[in-house]
Amino acid sequence: MYRSNVPRNAAQRTPRRVSRSAGHKRPGRKPLSWKQRLAIAAVTAVLFLPIWAVMARSLAPTSNTSLTRFDTIVVLGTPADSDGNPTPEQLARAHRGGSRVQERSSLAPDSHRGRDPLRLCRARVMAHAAEAQGIPESAILVEPNARDTIQNACYSARIMKAHGWRSAEIVATAPQLPRAGLIFNALPLEWTAHTAPRLSPVSPAYEGALTAVEVLKTARYLIWARWADHCEP
């Protein structure tokens, strides 16, 4: 018999396989730099904010009351053209506001006629348009200082408070109303909204552009303006 030099458990050992890349570690993924993270966050915000704004607009209130008679009518302002003449949008708003005054005056008791004023903000030319429609000057209050919808709402609420008025009908064109609903819903008022229909047809592209602008304004309101531009009525 010959004594083997092979260890007894050699047959039980599993040969160890050595990878060709042994000793060479796979390089790990480098962490993102702050610039890359900032870029990703910016892209995410650009994609998310319009979606958030569209959802908020679709859920925006159009009224917070069941009232059928209101103390006043607030016609939200919009700029005149470069020559100071009323734009079609201004005329549409003034026409709708004037129509609401006339409708209510014809239904109201004699003792209440003339007590429901037409509020026209930001453009005196809108007041002239309302007067041309037959609305008496005594029924029109012009607030010329507001420069955006938040100020329209806040300054109107201040005037209403000074006169003891607590309820209002809000008039604006369709693209603006959802944002206006979000803004007025934060005020201590009872209100309902009315759309000012176009007095003449507009192209779908033009209407779409106005809606796109309002979506961006709604996004700005949600993330910034409702705190930064907050106004106490």
Side-chain angles (χ1 to χ4, degrees), residues 21-207:
S21 61
H24 298 281
K25 295 183 179 180
R26 182 176 297 177
R29 183 175 297 176
K30 294 182 179 180
L32 297 176
S33 67
W34 69 268
K35 291 183 178 180
Q36 291 173 319
R37 294 178 182 179
L38 183 62
I40 292 174
V43 171
T44 302
V46 168
L47 295 175
F48 172 71
L49 288 178
I51 296 175
W52 183 22
V54 169
M55 292 179 62
R57 288 170 61 82
S58 67
L59 299 174
T62 57
S63 179
N64 69 350
T65 182
S66 58
L67 292 176
T68 57
R69 289 189 58 84
F70 295 84
D71 297 324
T72 187
I73 298 173
V74 178
V75 181
L76 298 180
T78 183
D81 64 18
S82 58
D83 296 325
N85 298 316
T87 62
E89 187 169 354
Q90 284 183 321
L91 293 175
R93 297 185 189 197
H95 183 270
R96 179 58 172 164
S99 297
R100 291 299 300 160
V101 171
Q102 292 171 339
E103 291 168 8
R104 290 165 55 188
S105 296
S106 63
L107 297 175
D110 289 347
S111 59
H112 291 168
R113 288 183 182 176
R115 294 181 59 185
D116 295 326
L118 172 64
R119 274 283 291 123
L120 289 167
C121 302
R122 195 180 175 183
R124 296 185 183 277
V125 290
M126 294 175 69
H128 296 318
E131 292 173 15
Q133 191 180 340
I135 306 302
E137 183 179 357
S138 59
I140 300 173
L141 295 177
V142 176
E143 193 290 294
N145 297 319
R147 292 296 178 265
D148 55 41
T149 307
I150 293 178
Q151 292 181 358
N152 273 176
C154 182
Y155 298 170
S156 296
R158 288 178 181 176
I159 294 175
M160 291 175 61
K161 183 177 180 180
H163 287 80
W165 302 329
R166 296 189 178 91
S167 61
E169 294 180 70
I170 313 302
V171 175
T173 46
Q176 187 187 20
L177 275 185
R179 182 167 59 94
L182 295 172
I183 294 171
F184 274 91
N185 210 43
L187 296 176
L189 301 174
E190 291 186 275
W191 63 275
T192 192
H194 296 283
T195 301
R198 302 289 183 185
L199 299 181
S200 58
V202 297
S203 68
Y206 178 76
E207 194 73 18

